[in-house]
Amino acid sequence: MRNIADTSAAIPPLAAGSFAHVEHWIFDLDNTLYSHEARVWPQVDERITLFLAELFGLDGLSSRALQKYYYQRYGTTLKGLMEEHGIDPADFLDFAHQIDLSLLDPNPELGEAIAALPGRKLILTNGSRGHAENVAGKLGILHHFEDIFDIVEAGFLPKPERATYEHFLARHAVDPARAAMFEDIEKNLLVPSALGMQTVLIVPKTPDPFRESWEQAAVEAGHVHHVTADLTGFLRPLGRLEERPGKAGGTIAAPGVP
């Protein structure tokens, strides 16, 4: 792994033609479609800690430790609570996502870049549909997405589980060989890459003090095809692919070439 403090050195130039075949654009939500400065995820994280504290009568430090234990073992705190305590996931999700989005500003530039992508756009998140709708709506980009595949749709089996991706692909008739996945956690790109997707790791422009260092590292690995700290800038040239593969007499414009 490379330290994200040197993010600029970790961003390779866009490979010409790497996305020319892509017609399904799949985006994670939290810390992918917005930057950490909006303080969206820290609020969710704090709400989860509070949920555990109230559920078990714990102090803050003990609740935080239990939260991280469930996260490491089960992939999400919710999955741990369901497996070990049989809690109602609806109650948990409603509580965790009662947050303030006042620091999340509309991002019309990102919206334009997403709108220009040729093909379908989908959100695949370990959060709830309501949370995704609220966040994408505040960003002003919700209407650019065909649908949202959330943790409920996944049967509460979170990324990076292979079955979750397979369920998503079947549910939305997505050909992984013609898809690209944008995600802020490196391990969540292992399965998409293995299935044949182009993968893009989103790293923060500045270190996020509310996340573990491994969660925001610019990783050099075979399953991470591209790394960027600027999602909008990364997407812009991809919207200028004028011809798609297989069109008679057509040529494939390289990303970034007018």
Side-chain angles (χ1 to χ4, degrees), residues 115-130:
L117 296 172
R120 305 164 66 202
K121 299 95 180 186
L122 298 152
I123 291 175
L124 171 55
T125 176
N126 279 346
S128 69
R129 174 179 288 271

Side-chain angles (χ1 to χ4, degrees), residues 3-255:
N3 191 307
I4 67 159
D6 188 22
T7 298
S8 60
I11 304 174
L14 196 60
S18 295
F19 294 84
H21 64 294
V22 173
E23 55 189 34
H24 309 286
W25 306 86
I26 306 159
F27 295 84
D28 173 53
L29 178 79
D30 289 309
N31 294 312
T32 294
L33 292 177
Y34 61 81
S35 68
H36 68 85
E37 286 84 4
R39 286 187 53 82
V40 173
W41 180 250
Q43 293 183 69
V44 175
D45 204 32
E46 289 168 5
R47 294 287 292 175
I48 294 172
T49 303
L50 181 58
F51 184 92
L52 292 176
E54 294 183 355
L55 181 65
F56 297 116
L58 299 173
D59 60 72
L61 288 176
S62 298
S63 177
R64 188 71 173 172
L66 183 60
Q67 175 184 351
K68 293 307 177 183
Y69 163 75
Y70 285 142
Y71 176 67
Q72 292 291 340
R73 180 171 180 180
Y74 294 99
T76 62
T77 304
L78 172 58
K79 187 72 163 55
L81 289 171
M82 292 176 66
E83 290 284 337
E84 296 194 11
H85 302 282
I87 71 152
D88 183 345
D91 290 342
F92 175 92
L93 291 170
D94 288 345
F95 187 93
H97 293 137
Q98 291 178 20
I99 60 173
D100 178 10
L101 297 178
S102 61
L103 294 180
L104 185 64
D105 295 325
N107 192 341
E109 293 82 9
L110 176 60
E112 291 170 3
I114 291 172
L117 296 172
R120 305 164 66 202
K121 299 95 180 186
L122 298 152
I123 291 175
L124 171 55
T125 176
N126 279 346
S128 69
R129 174 179 288 271
H131 175 61
E133 289 176 345
N134 289 339
V135 169
K138 187 69 171 7
L139 288 168
I141 63 176
L142 178 60
H143 60 290
H144 297 305
F145 292 97
E146 178 182 314
D147 204 354
I148 296 165
F149 187 93
D150 73 340
I151 193 65
V152 179
E153 187 77 20
F156 302 102
L157 188 66
K159 296 178 290 183
E161 295 293 335
R162 185 183 183 94
T164 294
Y165 296 95
E166 291 176 341
H167 184 187
F168 164 78
L169 295 173
R171 171 70 176 81
H172 291 289
V174 170
D175 176 1
R178 306 185 72 80
M181 181 77 200
F182 297 81
E183 168 71 54
D184 69 299
I185 297 179
E186 165 266 330
K187 68 179 181 179
N188 289 350
L189 294 174
L190 280 163
V191 172
S193 174
L195 291 171
M197 298 186 201
Q198 279 290 308
T199 63
V200 184
L201 180 64
I202 311 300
V203 296
K205 292 181 179 179
T206 59
D208 184 348
F210 297 101
R211 300 169 68 201
E212 301 292 336
S213 59
W214 64 267
E215 292 181 299
Q216 50 183 318
V219 177
E220 291 181 345
H223 62 283
V224 177
H225 304 144
H226 308 274
V227 180
T228 184
D230 179 8
L231 178 59
T232 301
F234 188 93
L235 294 178
R236 280 194 184 112
L238 303 182
R240 297 202 293 269
L241 294 172
E242 297 179 349
E243 299 290 340
R244 311 306 289 166
K247 291 186 177 181
T251 58
I252 302 173

